[in-house]
Amino acid sequence: MSTVDKSQRVYDFKAIEEKWQKKWREQNLYAAPERPDPDKRFYMLEMFAYPSGDIHMGHFRNYIIGDAMARYQMMQGKAVLHPFGWDAFGLPAERAAIQRNIHPSEWTQKNITTSRATLQKAGISYDWSREINSSEPKYYRWTQWMFLRLFEKGLAYRKRGFVNWCPNDKTVLANEQVKDGKCERCDTVVEKKDQVQWYFKITEYADQLTDDLDKLPDWPDSVKTMQREWIGRSYGAEIDFTIEDTGEKLPVYTTRPDTIFGVTFMAIAPEAELLDRLELEPEYAEKVRKYREMALVRSEIERAAATGEKDGVFTGKYAINPYNGEKVQLWVADYVLAGYGTGAVMAVPAHDTRDFAFAKKYDIPVKVVIHPDKDTALDPETMDEAFTDYGVMVNSGQFDGLVGSEAIKKVTDFAEKQGFGRNKVNFKLKDWLISRQRYWGCPIPIIHCDKCGAVPVPDKDLPVELPKVRNFLPKGRSPLADVPEYMNVKCPKCGGEAQRDPDTMDTYVCSSWYQMRYVDAHNDIAPFDKDKASRWFPIDLYVGGITHATGHLIYFRFLHKFMRDLGWITGDEPADRLVCLGMVADEKGETMSKSKGNVVPPFPYFEQHGIDTTRLAMFFTAPTEKGVQWDGSTIVGVKKFVTKSLFPLIRHYRGSSPDLKQHFMVEDLTKDERSIYVKLNQTIKRIGEDIERLQYNTAIAALMELVRDYQPDKIANDALNDCIVIKAIQLSAPLAPHLAEELWSEVGFSESVFKSSWPEYDPEAIVAELIEIAVQINGKLRDTVTVPADSDQSVVEDAAMASPKVQKYTEGRQIIKKIFVKGRILNIVIK
RNA sequence: GCGAAAGUGGUGGAAUUGGUAGACACGCUGGAUUUAGGAUCCAGUUCCGCAAGGAAUGGGGGUUCAAGUCCCCCCUUUCGCACCA
């Protein structure tokens, strides 16, 4: 048996990957410390994963992006927290369980086992000792604890109202979970139902949630804009109109008090309770009743589809405008939303598009009270659309002549003084409806007692465990309601017979605080330790899909702020930097989903090409924020690079064990040596910057260039040669960890490459000695000249003027000026 | 309809701040070697042109010595919101 020369052996990725995964496990390489130095730590988090089967290329991409950053930060000397866990409650588990006749917990557990195995196989740098599972009592006990804290502060409450109901899933939905009038999970058209449900008072935090977006410079603008619009803060006034008969006040919200003299009718939402109290004349009562009935069964999309085509009915009643005592008709119209403002609007047809359309349809007068400017008047007879811009007030008594914001202020101030109006801020954001009529979720820790009302389960009795039942078919109320052993309990307050709340929580509740649990995943006396949280928070980098822009990412910020107010956590925001990944589509451009049956698993790629090559190919395809159409085509080039260039690099190591911190003096190097030394330092700089901004594709390109330009036979200096080999290995480590670790050990290091320090570039050696300067004539490139790097204008000019190509253009022409940018261009402007 | 982001070779994509557009790859073409495997090596490859040269970053205008990058208008695509008074 002959000894194999290890420097000549081929790239056996399978052996290498298995070997290092085993070693990493044995060394506990990814175990995060309990209490890191806050200045030397990095919290890398990828969004909570729903275990829907096995992971596919989309997940894989997400996790390797986080993984590369985590490894890079380790090499920066940071204590890294890179945890993983499962958002394990939720509807798909119930659906699958029903289909297969097994229990949701079994299905979930099986998926977790499979997915975890794939992630471990992929060698992602998770600290598995902190793994969490939101469907386990040891986790959801603290979800219930959060609920109780919110309840104590009056931020978890029950109310009756019209809610979004998904007839397919047979449960209610939060506003954020309705997309296009349809259920975000199953695409069924959502209905309206009048029900009592649990809410979290997220609106209490609406101002902060919108203001603090300014404290997040490293969040994408698109996400911040979406959140701002979702929260939808607006400034306006609330003005009390009066019902003529009864004298009852009818407050309305408006952002345009300056148009108040143009009100020609009032409109109220069909859902408005006020309508029940009005005693309508018989000739109107029946029409109004029918209209309300019809409006209530219309789905959100039907109502929205009618945009432009407005309808409504006159109630026969009148309201009085407090500014001028004018009497205007009171209508019911379904373009008025019950859930916004006061559910009633003052209609100004001349200056509001919707009111204009409505007035035209029902022949209601149009009264102009704003002119575009002093010299332009509007004629209600000839207007074919509303004038909605700001302008000069007219026909408005004492307010005539006022303009824009000043007008608004004066009109509102007047109402305030007279006591019939006030400044008012309104939000589109609604309270978060968190109760669900489903089995597979976190039980709501409340007991309903006839005597004491809604009584919180005492902390000592947590968790309220989800009973393991067989029948969890959804039927419109929680399946738990049919489990007497669960439902019937003693009231914690009076000891009398009482019943548990049968609902479970929205799974977004589970995922709104999981990031806190990771800092102390096994604490069984508190949700987490405050000191540990203060050391780890805020999250340095949070990566996930843009789909969570207005749902999870608002809830997550809300819970953080709530816990901050309770003194549990520091800082106003949970995550410093957010990066939204592009989606991974299949070769046809369709997004991968289980229901479409087009999920591409990473495993076959691991087998055929190796994990590191699969990673590099995925990284190389596109920068992080951009979507990827994965067809595996980038593998070809990347594989060539790995097997022919990167892996064989070790053959050129000469065993000099150089000092990695040393800088080489240019005068000690030959021309070829100098040039590769500069290339090395440029590459160190580029790759570091590329990784920081998650442009792994260009980092790989830079590495390819370095390896391409490296010609060992032209390097006599052993220390330089070996520095290049070693640093190239380090530079590749975050991207191709197993391979780098193998080469690193072959160089002779005994500790992991991830414990080594990321190379620092020699700032004296990032510019080549000779550089090309572009010479332009009137902005057009005519030639380039090669000059010493720090040449000033005169040197470059001399070289440029010596060029025949340049002379051809300048001959006989007048040179007007020359623009010189050091190290880049010389532009000669001629006439 | 409103809002946001984006349009660069045959393809994926480069071009941190206005300064040599097309890095790095894929693919393709030619050649070499070889000839079973999706092999290797060399050369070429934005377009037009024999060349000199010209044109070119969705289209049109503008600012500037200089524009993929900044400004205005338009078109297309993707995403988000959809009567928020």
Side-chain angles (χ1 to χ4, degrees):
Chain A
M1 210 172 123
S2 64
T3 26
V4 180
D5 178 356
K6 70 177 181 183
S7 67
Q8 291 302 316
R9 72 181 182 152
V10 292
Y11 174 47
D12 181 355
F13 56 81
K14 209 162 185 183
I16 292 171
E17 285 163 1
E18 276 170 18
K19 169 179 159 190
W20 287 106
Q21 288 190 6
K22 184 160 169 279
K23 293 214 179 192
W24 290 335
R25 231 180 352 260
E26 288 163 3
Q27 297 167 18
N28 243 336
L29 186 63
Y30 311 123
E34 293 297 309
R35 297 176 199 274
D37 175 347
D39 296 327
K40 286 186 189 161
R41 58 95 180 128
F42 194 92
Y43 187 175
M44 172 71 233
L45 185 63
E46 293 119 55
M47 284 181 188
F48 217 16
Y50 185 79
S52 61
D54 198 355
I55 69 158
H56 58 60
M57 287 311 271
H59 303 113
F60 178 69
R61 179 166 188 242
N62 188 167
Y63 304 143
I64 59 174
I65 282 166
D67 182 71
M69 180 57 83
R71 291 177 187 277
Y72 172 75
Q73 294 296 340
M74 286 173 78
M75 296 176 77
Q76 293 289 333
K78 305 272 180 67
V80 171
L81 173 58
H82 189 209
F84 200 78
W86 311 96
D87 191 9
F89 274 135
L91 282 174
E94 284 183 25
R95 280 198 210 113
I98 291 161
Q99 269 172 21
R100 289 153 214 235
N101 197 27
I102 54 172
H103 194 268
S105 68
E106 268 176 68
W107 183 82
T108 306
Q109 202 46 58
K110 206 180 110 238
N111 290 342
I112 289 176
T113 307
T114 313
S115 302
R116 189 202 291 116
T118 306
L119 287 170
Q120 286 175 343
K121 173 86 206 159
I124 313 283
S125 57
Y126 293 127
D127 178 355
W128 286 103
S129 73
R130 293 169 188 261
E131 180 180 4
I132 57 181
N133 174 333
S134 68
S135 69
E136 283 176 356
K138 58 176 273 200
Y139 180 87
Y140 68 68
R141 165 185 183 173
W142 300 109
T143 309
Q144 292 170 340
W145 182 96
M146 299 274 160
F147 179 100
L148 293 174
R149 301 292 84 78
L150 285 155
F151 183 78
E152 284 165 4
K153 296 281 174 191
L155 298 175
Y157 67 97
R158 285 213 303 175
K159 77 168 178 200
R160 181 171 199 95
F162 284 90
V163 295
N164 304 303
W165 172 261
C166 173
N168 181 46
D169 290 337
K170 295 194 172 58
T171 183
V172 297
L173 300 169
N175 250 9
E176 288 77 12
Q177 288 144 38
V178 180
K179 307 270 170 199
D180 266 333
K182 295 176 190 164
C183 170
E184 89 174 337
R185 293 225 95 108
C186 68
D187 247 16
T188 309
V189 174
V190 166
E191 296 169 0
K192 291 274 158 199
K193 267 198 174 182
D194 189 16
Q195 288 193 337
V196 176
Q197 296 290 340
W198 283 98
Y199 294 84
F200 285 168
K201 207 170 192 175
I202 194 170
T203 52
E204 185 91 3
Y205 284 83
D207 271 314
Q208 287 185 50
L209 286 168
T210 202
D211 288 338
D212 288 355
L213 289 169
D214 295 333
K215 298 179 183 166
L216 298 171
D218 294 324
W219 277 42
D221 288 333
S222 57
V223 171
K224 288 189 279 189
T225 306
M226 279 161 74
Q227 292 208 356
R228 255 184 222 109
E229 284 174 2
W230 188 265
I231 296 164
R233 181 166 61 190
S234 74
Y235 297 93
E238 201 171 73
I239 306 290
D240 300 329
F241 280 62
T242 318
I243 307 290
E244 185 193 32
D245 292 0
T246 61
E248 185 177 351
K249 274 187 187 165
L250 175 57
V252 294
Y253 174 72
T254 178
T255 52
R256 293 297 302 276
D258 56 326
T259 65
I260 192 116
F261 287 83
V263 174
T264 56
F265 68 100
M266 302 284 288
I268 57 180
E271 292 92 340
E273 282 172 28
L274 168 73
L275 284 167
D276 301 328
R277 295 196 297 273
L278 289 179
E279 286 173 25
L280 301 183
E281 298 299 323
E283 56 169 316
Y284 296 107
E286 184 58 14
K287 274 195 210 153
V288 169
R289 195 188 59 77
K290 276 197 175 149
Y291 180 79
R292 293 181 75 187
E293 225 165 56
M294 191 237 0
L296 292 180
V297 299
R298 277 165 108 179
S299 72
E300 203 77 351
I301 6 179
E302 283 172 309
R303 280 171 77 159
T307 307
E309 194 47 43
K310 318 253 173 269
D311 56 34
V313 291
F314 178 41
T315 59
K317 299 287 177 189
Y318 294 85
I320 310 292
N321 183 338
Y323 281 85
N324 55 10
E326 251 174 45
K327 187 171 118 174
V328 296
Q329 295 184 341
L330 179 61
W331 287 67
V332 185
D334 81 349
Y335 77 90
V336 181
L337 303 174
Y340 184 78
T342 62
V345 301
M346 54 177 235
V348 186
H351 307 292
D352 180 280
T353 313
R354 295 151 303 182
D355 300 341
F356 186 85
F358 195 90
K360 284 287 164 195
K361 179 163 177 176
Y362 294 106
D363 234 5
I364 298 168
V366 175
K367 186 182 166 195
V368 169
V369 291
I370 301 284
H371 280 170
D373 55 64
K374 269 189 265 164
D375 309 316
T376 319
L378 292 170
D379 177 4
E381 298 301 316
T382 57
M383 283 171 82
D384 52 7
E385 58 176 5
F387 176 78
T388 58
D389 291 346
Y390 292 116
V392 187
M393 289 180 73
V394 295
N395 300 325
S396 301
Q398 52 176 306
F399 301 104
D400 279 359
L402 292 173
V403 178
S405 56
E406 201 209 345
I408 290 171
K409 188 175 180 304
K410 290 254 164 78
V411 172
T412 312
D413 285 352
F414 180 78
E416 216 146 53
K417 273 197 205 99
Q418 301 292 312
F420 60 74
R422 57 215 69 91
N423 282 297
K424 174 89 184 174
V425 179
N426 243 317
F427 296 92
K428 291 190 204 174
L429 182 73
K430 298 197 176 61
D431 279 341
W432 175 14
L433 198 175
I434 60 105
S435 44
R436 296 289 180 274
Q437 292 69 54
R438 298 289 301 219
Y439 167 72
W440 191 235
C442 174
I444 290 179
I446 289 288
I447 291 167
H448 299 284
C449 170
D450 285 343
K451 271 187 251 162
C452 313
V455 181
V457 172
D459 281 0
K460 66 173 173 55
D461 295 341
L462 296 183
V464 175
E465 283 204 41
L466 188 64
K468 194 157 179 177
V469 299
R470 286 163 162 272
N471 190 359
F472 39 80
L473 270 175
K475 44 195 161 227
R477 57 178 193 147
S478 172
L480 293 177
D482 298 323
V483 185
E485 316 83 274
Y486 176 77
M487 290 298 289
N488 298 324
V489 285
K490 298 274 184 265
C491 169
K493 233 183 198 169
C494 71
E497 297 294 326
Q499 296 221 301
R500 289 195 188 279
D501 194 290
D503 286 356
T504 53
M505 289 184 227
D506 180 5
T507 55
Y508 280 107
V509 178
C510 310
S511 59
S512 61
W513 76 278
Y514 77 112
Q515 71 284 0
M516 304 177 201
R517 183 68 176 169
Y518 281 131
V519 307
D520 199 12
H522 306 293
N523 194 329
D524 54 12
I525 55 166
F528 55 87
D529 179 271
K530 289 181 192 178
D531 176 58
K532 290 179 186 175
S534 76
R535 288 165 184 274
W536 282 115
F537 268 84
I539 296 162
D540 292 278
L541 175 62
Y542 193 29
V543 299
I546 183 84
T547 45
H548 294 109
T550 52
H552 164 67
L553 286 168
I554 291 183
Y555 302 146
F556 158 87
R557 296 180 58 224
F558 161 58
L559 249 289
H560 182 93
K561 288 174 188 299
F562 173 68
M563 288 297 278
R564 174 205 60 193
D565 289 349
L566 248 45
W568 279 87
I569 206 153
T570 47
D572 292 331
E573 287 289 335
D576 261 356
R577 182 178 177 199
L578 173 73
V579 171
C580 292
L581 309 158
M583 297 275 271
V584 176
D586 66 8
E587 62 272 281
K588 287 184 215 124
E590 291 191 56
T591 51
M592 290 179 192
S593 83
K594 254 190 117 184
S595 53
K596 280 190 217 152
N598 65 343
V599 291
V600 179
F603 193 74
Y605 290 100
F606 296 171
E607 289 287 297
Q608 202 184 342
H609 309 284
I611 294 157
D612 286 335
T613 298
T614 310
R615 284 169 66 110
L616 289 170
M618 186 54 99
F619 287 141
F620 193 55
T621 305
T624 297
E625 282 93 343
K626 207 151 177 169
V628 163
Q629 195 170 325
W630 177 259
D631 54 11
S633 62
T634 42
I635 284 199
V636 185
V638 162
K639 193 168 188 176
K640 267 191 222 166
F641 168 67
V642 167
T643 55
K644 290 193 194 137
S645 308
L646 187 57
F647 186 75
L649 211 54
I650 191 67
R651 292 176 195 167
H652 306 301
Y653 182 64
R654 298 177 190 165
S656 71
S657 303
D659 170 12
L660 295 174
K661 296 251 181 259
Q662 73 182 299
H663 288 172
F664 291 85
M665 295 293 144
V666 269
E667 53 272 25
D668 298 341
L669 302 176
T670 65
K671 192 167 156 264
D672 286 329
E673 287 171 345
R674 283 200 292 267
S675 117
I676 190 68
Y677 183 58
V678 166
K679 186 72 181 179
L680 173 69
N681 286 294
Q682 288 174 334
T683 307
I684 293 169
K685 184 167 187 283
R686 272 177 72 183
I687 294 185
E689 287 166 356
D690 286 348
I691 291 179
E692 304 257 0
R693 58 190 180 120
L694 290 113
Q695 275 218 193
Y696 300 130
N697 57 332
T698 48
I700 293 169
L703 191 63
M704 286 172 165
E705 283 185 46
L706 174 66
V707 174
R708 177 197 65 192
D709 290 354
Y710 167 62
Q711 293 170 286
D713 49 322
K714 291 187 178 162
I715 302 174
N717 186 324
D718 289 346
L720 173 66
N721 177 78
D722 288 355
C723 272
I724 294 169
V725 172
I726 292 173
K727 291 184 183 184
I729 291 167
Q730 289 181 296
L731 293 175
S732 64
L735 304 165
H738 308 84
L739 179 147
E741 191 77 292
E742 173 74 7
L743 300 185
W744 182 252
S745 80
E746 290 206 0
V747 167
F749 294 101
S750 52
E751 266 208 319
S752 168
V753 68
F754 299 105
K755 297 209 163 173
S756 74
S757 309
W758 184 256
E760 277 178 34
Y761 62 86
D762 176 354
E764 302 295 314
I766 49 167
V767 181
E769 279 176 294
L770 291 177
I771 54 170
E772 266 192 358
I773 302 285
V775 181
Q776 299 179 333
I777 309 290
N778 286 353
K780 290 203 182 211
L781 180 72
R782 293 306 178 190
D783 200 6
T784 59
V785 292
T786 302
V787 294
D790 55 354
S791 300
D792 57 19
Q793 183 160 357
S794 62
V795 176
V796 177
E797 267 180 36
D798 290 348
M801 296 318 285
S803 151
K805 285 186 188 169
V806 172
Q807 285 166 4
K808 199 176 125 189
Y809 288 93
T810 51
E811 197 141 336
R813 311 293 287 271
Q814 188 193 346
I815 294 175
I816 297 171
K817 60 173 162 176
K818 295 169 186 157
I819 288 125
F820 177 68
V821 180
K822 197 167 180 179
R824 299 212 177 251
I825 61 138
L826 173 69
N827 187 10
I828 300 168
V829 185
I830 59 168
K831 201 157 70 176

